[in-house]
Amino acid sequence: MVNQQLRRVILLNLERIEFGLTEESLKCAVTVETGWLRLTTNEFLTELRELERRGLVRKWENLNGEMVYGIEDMGRD
């Protein structure tokens, strides 16, 4: 799998959402959009953590007490 492509799809999904997505919801959205039914959680989390490390994505606790991910301004660029 091409990591660049997976990262791009993650960012595109987060860009559409105003209030963030849980890890599970984001993985489901990415799987549906890409059609990569064999996308492992480990592969997904590796790319998500890399985006977070680069400051393109951030994680926070929402009002429901869930950890969600959202896109940073740098990730929109």
Side-chain angles (χ1 to χ4, degrees):
M1 174 182 329
V2 178
N3 293 343
Q4 288 277 69
Q5 187 177 5
L6 180 55
R7 290 177 194 162
R8 183 175 178 274
V9 173
I10 290 171
L11 290 172
L12 287 172
N13 274 277
L14 289 175
E15 188 174 34
R16 297 179 194 135
I17 304 298
E18 186 174 344
F19 300 109
L21 284 172
T22 64
E23 205 173 271
E24 185 178 326
S25 296
L26 180 56
K27 182 178 183 284
C28 288
V30 168
T31 300
V32 166
E33 187 168 330
T34 61
W36 296 333
L37 300 178
R38 294 181 186 232
L39 176 64
T40 67
T41 300
N42 190 42
E43 289 172 322
F44 172 75
L45 290 179
T46 297
E47 299 310 321
L48 186 58
R49 301 286 185 264
E50 179 61 21
L51 290 170
E52 189 175 13
R53 187 188 70 73
R54 292 180 178 199
L56 304 175
V57 168
R58 75 179 175 96
K59 178 169 63 170
W60 72 92
E61 187 174 334
N62 68 12
L63 296 175
N64 293 331
E66 301 169 310
M67 294 306 291
V68 295
Y69 286 87
I71 192 166
E72 293 283 20
D73 289 337
M74 202 163 93
R76 294 180 196 281
D77 296 337

